[in-house]
Structures are given as structure tokens and as C-alpha cells.
Amino acid sequence: NAGVTQTPKFRILKIGQSMTLQCAQDMNHNYMYWYRQDPGMGLKLIYYSVGAGITDKGEVPNGYNVSRSTTEDFPLRLELAAPSQTSVYFCASSYPGELFFGEGSRLTVL
Amino acid sequence: AQTVTQSQPEMSVQEAETVTLSCTYDTSESNYYLFWYKQPPSRQMILVIRQEAYKQQNATENRFSVNFQKAAKSFSLKISDSQLGDTAMYFCAFIQGAQKLVFGQGTRLTINP
């Protein structure tokens, strides 16, 4: 099925560990985004990409890295996980006038 | 830069009542898209309704309709005959072309039995 696929859906990390959240879309969208959503709050933009090889910082990029080697994939890397990174992470892709969200990845850092 | 403002952090109404959620935005562009997304406790982002700025007619989807006032840069969502399943966070969002989308802060809506 066409759409945005995020993995894993749930993950528990220890402080200082690293991990990568995967995001893939099969709609050939150029624009892709990573958001985080803390409990009871709105979505904050971490990073976004306007096409393969091009990425840019959003509101809250510290502690994260991204890459965009292909149009389809936009992984988010967490380096040296901290409790403040406990959140739900959403990947999204867009086409003019259309937005598509992944189902979210719930990350807990203990 | 585009901004989206939702001035009502929380709202609560009785089942079957009508409720209106407000959203204002700021942009210098003339052609863009506006969305309302619903986020239930499952955290999934569900598209409620979409409006193209160049269309004067207000979008409607069953019990959901918008009041789009382009000159005033206002995009409110009206939910008629509210149901318990409408309880959720609602986000207003703006996108111009395929560029970076911008979200409002969200409104937590509770439908009481």
C-alpha cells in the first residue's frame, strides 16, 4: 500500500545509546519531514528535506541527524540519547496540497 | 515566514452540540492549502478536511465544514452534531506548494456524554 512507513513503532533506549528511526515513502515525494510530539503538545519540526541530498534544520534539531540519499528514505539518527528525547516521532511527506503521515514511533529514553 | 495560530488550547461541549475551532494564519502567498487534522489518543494523524486557497467555496466533509476567510486569513472548523468519537486534539496546518508545512499549537476537544 502506498504511504509513509515508519519503523520501529516502539523503542526503549538507555541514556547514551544511539539509534535510527527509519522512514520510507513510495509516492516519489520530494519533501519529507521529521516531527516530534511531546505529551499534550503540538508537533515540532526536527529536520526536513526538499529532495535527495538536501536536508535542513527545523525548530529542534539538536541531538539529531538526518540523511537523504534517496527520494524514498529519510532516516532520523539519535546520537547519545537523553531523557529529553522521550517523545513520539512522526515522519511525513508532501506533494503540492497533499500531506501523508507515518503512524508514529514512540521512543522512551530511560 | 508562515505562522499558524490556534487560540483555543481546550474546548469542551456536550454530545450533539455544534462546536467551532478557530485558526488564523499569516502568509504573503496567494495560493496555498490549509488542513485540519484530528489526533485521537492513538496518536495517529487523521485528515479531517482540506481547503485550497484559490477556491472560494468552503470545504465540507459530512459533519465537518470550514469557514475560510482568505482576506482575514482565518480558517475555522465547524463540527456539527458532535459525537463522542470526535474527542481528540485538532491541528490546523498550512502548506504552500510542496514546501515546509506549518502546524498550529493544537486544540484539545472533549465531547461530553
Side-chain angles (χ1 to χ4, degrees), chain A residues 16-36:
Chain A
Q17 288 185 320
S18 299
M19 75 159 296
T20 299
L21 297 177
Q22 302 290 345
C23 177
Q25 52 94 5
D26 57 2
M27 298 169 283
N28 203 34
H29 290 167
N30 284 325
Y31 278 75
M32 295 187 74
Y33 315 82
W34 274 107
Y35 287 88
R36 61 175 286 172

Side-chain angles (χ1 to χ4, degrees), chain A residues 31 33 35 37-43 45 48 88 90 92 94-103 106, chain B residues 33 35 37 39 41-45 47 50 89 91 93 95 97-106 108:
Chain A
Y31 278 75
Y33 315 82
Y35 287 88
Q37 186 181 31
D38 299 332
M41 305 295 286
L43 289 87
L45 182 64
Y48 68 101
V88 178
F90 287 95
S94 70
Y95 179 81
E98 300 284 351
L99 304 176
F100 296 83
F101 284 93
E103 293 185 347
R106 184 181 297 272
Chain B
Y33 298 85
F35 305 84
Y37 275 89
Q39 189 181 45
S42 67
R43 295 277 194 148
Q44 185 179 1
M45 296 291 284
L47 177 65
R50 169 180 177 269
M89 281 286 286
F91 292 98
I95 188 169
Q99 294 178 13
K100 186 174 57 174
L101 58 93
V102 181
F103 283 92
Q105 305 92 322
R108 183 177 302 279

